[in-house]
């Protein structure tokens, strides 16, 4: 039986496969979210299946709004697969709490913007109630 081989990709191939910009991949390497890439004899970066998976994890976590530091913690915790995941759950719960707070602030922002928009009946800019309301600040 033949074992599956780790397919090596250049940085452009990794970018295309994961939908990530090359500069972002380099940034994640620079800050240590991705390990430094293996290099060919000519010095070109190459990436394997593990790198593809890790980058996909980072992208998904970013899509959920996790910060770089939170992702760093999650990936470090994930290295101990036999450990209790309580710390990971706690991190995700804190993030959920932050999202809930942001949603509440966004709800207030939306209500204030809706109120300001209702002030406008059109007309000359010199009489614009929206501009007046923004200049006066939120009520």
């Amino acid at each position: 039986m033949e074992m599956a081989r780790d397919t090596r990709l250049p940085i452009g191939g990794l970018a295309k496969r994961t939908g990530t910009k090359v500069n972002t991949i380099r940034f994640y390497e620079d800050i240590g979210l991705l390990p430094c890439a293996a290099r060919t004899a000519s010095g070109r970066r190459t990436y394997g299946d593990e790198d593809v998976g890790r980058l996909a994890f980072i992208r998904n976590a970013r899509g959920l709004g996790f910060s770089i530091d939170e992702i760093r913690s999650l990936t470090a915790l994930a290295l101990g697969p036999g450990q209790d995941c309580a710390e990971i759950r706690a991190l995700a719960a804190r993030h959920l709490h932050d999202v809930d707070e942001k949603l509440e602030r966004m709800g207030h922002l939306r209500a204030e913007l809706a109120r300001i928009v209702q002030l406008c009946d059109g007309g000359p800019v010199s009489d614009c109630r929206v501009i007046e309301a923004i200049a006066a600040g939120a009520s």
Side-chain angles (χ1 to χ4, degrees):
M1 185 165 133
E2 195 175 309
M3 294 195 46
R5 232 176 92 203
D6 186 32
T7 306
R8 303 305 295 177
L9 296 169
I11 195 167
L14 178 65
K16 186 174 182 179
R17 187 160 167 195
T18 61
T20 307
K21 293 180 180 178
V22 168
N23 289 344
T24 302
I25 295 169
R26 287 186 185 124
F27 171 71
Y28 288 157
E29 281 184 27
D30 289 345
I31 64 170
L33 275 186
L34 278 177
C36 290
R39 301 275 182 160
T40 64
S42 63
R44 294 179 184 261
R45 291 173 163 96
T46 64
Y47 301 88
D49 294 337
E50 189 173 316
D51 299 309
V52 172
R54 180 130 179 195
L55 185 53
F57 178 85
I58 293 167
R59 284 184 48 82
N60 291 338
R62 292 296 286 160
L64 290 169
F66 284 99
S67 70
I68 296 291
D69 287 337
E70 289 170 328
I71 296 169
R72 192 181 319 282
S73 294
L74 287 169
T75 54
L77 291 166
L79 293 176
Q83 297 178 28
D84 185 344
C85 70
E87 198 171 341
I88 294 171
R89 184 185 188 285
L91 192 153
R94 283 191 303 272
H95 183 64
L96 175 61
H97 177 75
D98 292 345
V99 168
D100 286 339
E101 286 181 344
K102 287 176 188 173
L103 284 171
E104 185 175 342
R105 286 193 306 270
M106 292 300 289
H108 293 299
L109 175 63
R110 189 197 183 290
E112 181 62 11
L113 284 170
R115 182 189 72 77
I116 289 172
V117 167
Q118 290 296 318
L119 297 174
C120 184
D121 293 326
V125 171
S126 60
D127 296 331
C128 184
R129 302 284 312 273
V130 172
I131 295 295
E132 289 174 18
I134 293 171
S139 65

